[in-house]
Amino acid sequence: MTNTTVHLAVYDTLADWETGHATAWLARAGFTVRTVGPVAGEPVTTLAGLRIVPDLPLGDLRPEDSALLILPGADTYDEGDALAPFTAKARAFLDAGVPVAAICGATAGLAREGLLDDRAHTGAASFHLAATGYRGAGRYVEADAVTDGDLITAGPTEPVAFAREIFARLGAYEGKRDAWYRLFHDSDPAAFAELNAREA
């Protein structure tokens, strides 16, 4: 992969815990993480009350400048159409063959956009997505995280599985993803040594 810039969508009420594993460990693997907000220079406030000033506005984001778009969950996905521009951008990414990773409420946004109708996916719960009126219920998978081509989805309790699927799609931590997952998901102490072992 030649492009190593990953874009993280940021907006009011984003769920802080859902993307930290992915973004921190992508940065450690040499990727650049840039934040994308609704308006240039206008801070957003997370569920924890943290203020983030986005690196660039959504309108300036182009699929060809990115390796991946990450959409975290947010309460505002179920409170109207304020985040519809982000799911429309996800469509542009997928149409261009650039991967998108969505977790929790962002999967409901993708459902409303019609992006889950023909792709295997998961989310917070099947009934949550069904409430959007989408036509993809038959493609819902009861799993921690699901990858279907360029689309990765996960529920709100699975940030580690979400990160693992992102790493796999981007080719990060080849040979060490299993150890990474066992360390952070299963608290396996043996995985720490495997993850940190130097290559021979």
Side-chain angles (χ1 to χ4, degrees), residues 111-112 114 116-117 121 126 129-140:
R112 290 186 189 94
L116 304 184
D117 289 350
H121 61 277
S126 58
L129 293 183
T132 68
Y134 84 132
R135 297 178 307 213
R139 305 297 304 274
Y140 187 87

Side-chain angles (χ1 to χ4, degrees), residues 163-183:
R164 178 194 59 197
E165 297 301 303
I166 289 171
F167 301 159
R169 182 62 185 78
L170 296 181
Y173 299 103
E174 292 286 357
K176 295 196 172 186
R177 278 195 298 273
D178 177 66
W180 182 90
Y181 184 75
R182 286 188 290 110
L183 177 62

Side-chain angles (χ1 to χ4, degrees), residues 15-199:
D16 305 67
W17 69 91
E18 293 177 345
T19 60
H21 284 287
T23 55
W25 283 85
L26 284 174
R28 292 186 100 175
F31 288 82
T32 299
V33 180
R34 299 192 70 203
T35 53
V36 182
V39 180
E42 188 170 303
V44 299
T45 304
T46 73
L47 276 176
L50 302 180
R51 287 166 51 87
I52 300 171
V53 179
D55 293 318
L56 73 157
L58 183 65
D60 289 353
L61 177 62
R62 304 182 312 161
E64 58 266 35
D65 297 331
S66 187
L68 172 76
L69 173 62
I70 302 176
L71 300 176
D75 289 348
T76 42
Y77 271 112
D78 291 324
E79 297 173 353
D81 297 327
L83 299 183
F86 285 91
T87 55
K89 186 66 73 170
R91 177 180 292 282
F93 266 61
L94 292 171
D95 286 348
V98 180
V100 172
I103 186 168
C104 189
T107 63
L110 296 185
R112 290 186 189 94
E113 182 70 20
L115 295 175
L116 304 184
D117 289 350
D118 301 311
R119 295 176 172 92
H121 61 277
T122 193
S126 58
F127 59 82
H128 179 237
L129 293 183
T132 68
Y134 84 132
R135 297 178 307 213
R139 305 297 304 274
Y140 187 87
V141 180
E142 290 286 354
D144 294 346
V146 173
T147 298
D148 186 340
D150 289 325
L151 181 65
I152 299 165
T153 52
T157 61
E158 299 299 338
V160 176
F162 185 59
R164 178 194 59 197
E165 297 301 303
I166 289 171
F167 301 159
R169 182 62 185 78
L170 296 181
Y173 299 103
E174 292 286 357
K176 295 196 172 186
R177 278 195 298 273
D178 177 66
W180 182 90
Y181 184 75
R182 286 188 290 110
L183 177 62
F184 288 98
H185 188 267
D186 303 329
S187 299
D188 178 358
F192 179 82
E194 291 179 42
L195 183 61
N196 291 286
R198 296 187 181 277
E199 298 294 335

